[in-house]
């Protein structure tokens, strides 16, 4: 998966309510990780790409609903956004097949790698947020 492949172009990230919730939790690690997970699920939901689970194609909202269902079943053991990606958003617990993002008829990428790209982009934005001086 190319490191510059994302579920959206990202031009509106800072305007999204889910991003604002992430910013609000910069001082609380547990809440921050949960907000990052919400951010990733929102990225799936908003995506115009199709998602493949067990050889069936799903829209972004349907894929997000499934991830949300899996997440709520394991919420106590998912302590970080990276653990969410690895434990929830990587593969089917029934078949073991990878979850995929369908980019074109010929191209798919593992959802895990795409979500890691999204998380890295988010964390870079957060790093820049914390460097921004607060106006008097």
């Amino acid at each position: 998966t190319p490191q510059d492949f994302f579920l959206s172009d990202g031009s509106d990230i800072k305007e999204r309510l889910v991003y604002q919730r992430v910013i609000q939790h910069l001082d609380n690690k547990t809440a921050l990780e949960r907000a990052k997970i919400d951010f990733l699920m929102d990225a799936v939901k908003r995506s115009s790409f199709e998602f493949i689970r067990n050889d069936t194609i799903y829209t972004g909202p349907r894929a997000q609903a499934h991830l949300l269902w899996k997440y709520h079943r394991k919420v106590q053991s998912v302590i970080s956004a990276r653990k969410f990606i690895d434990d929830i958003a990587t593969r089917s617990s029934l078949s073991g097949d990878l979850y995929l993002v369908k980019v074109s008829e010929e191209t798919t990428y593992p959802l895990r790698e795409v979500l890691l790209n999204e998380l890295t982009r988010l964390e870079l934005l957060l790093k820049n947020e914390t460097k921004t001086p607060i106006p008097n």
Side-chain angles (χ1 to χ4, degrees):
T1 305
Q3 290 184 329
D4 61 347
F5 181 80
F6 301 96
L7 295 173
S8 72
D9 69 10
S11 60
D12 68 338
I13 286 178
K14 289 189 174 188
E15 286 78 42
R16 293 181 197 165
L17 182 59
V18 70
Y19 179 79
Q20 298 305 317
R21 285 195 302 259
V22 171
I23 296 297
Q24 291 172 354
H25 296 294
L26 289 174
D27 59 348
N28 180 327
K29 182 166 176 42
T30 302
L32 176 60
E33 290 301 317
R34 299 237 189 256
K36 287 179 184 179
I37 292 167
D38 290 343
F39 179 88
L40 294 173
M41 283 203 258
D42 184 68
V44 170
K45 180 180 177 182
R46 291 172 169 269
S47 177
S48 61
F49 293 109
E50 294 177 320
F51 297 83
I52 302 172
R53 177 173 53 93
N54 295 328
D55 295 324
T56 302
I57 295 176
Y58 296 91
T59 62
R62 291 278 314 272
Q64 185 255 6
H66 178 72
L67 293 176
L68 190 59
W69 174 79
K70 281 182 73 175
Y71 174 65
H72 284 298
R73 292 180 62 223
K74 294 186 175 188
V75 70
Q76 297 304 320
S77 66
V78 179
I79 57 172
S80 71
R82 289 188 193 280
K83 190 154 176 62
F84 165 78
I85 292 169
D86 288 337
D87 293 358
I88 304 294
T90 295
R91 66 182 63 248
S92 168
S93 53
L94 294 177
S95 68
D97 292 345
L98 291 177
Y99 294 150
L100 301 170
V101 179
K102 184 177 178 183
V103 179
S104 68
E105 287 303 317
E106 306 83 32
T107 307
T108 59
Y109 295 132
L111 179 58
R112 179 185 187 278
E113 303 306 318
V114 175
L115 289 179
L116 286 171
N117 289 351
E118 292 287 344
L119 182 59
T120 299
R121 177 167 66 176
L122 173 62
E123 289 174 343
L124 286 172
L125 285 171
L126 295 177
K127 195 175 205 179
N128 290 334
E129 287 283 342
T130 59
K131 288 182 182 177
T132 304
I134 299 171
N136 296 341

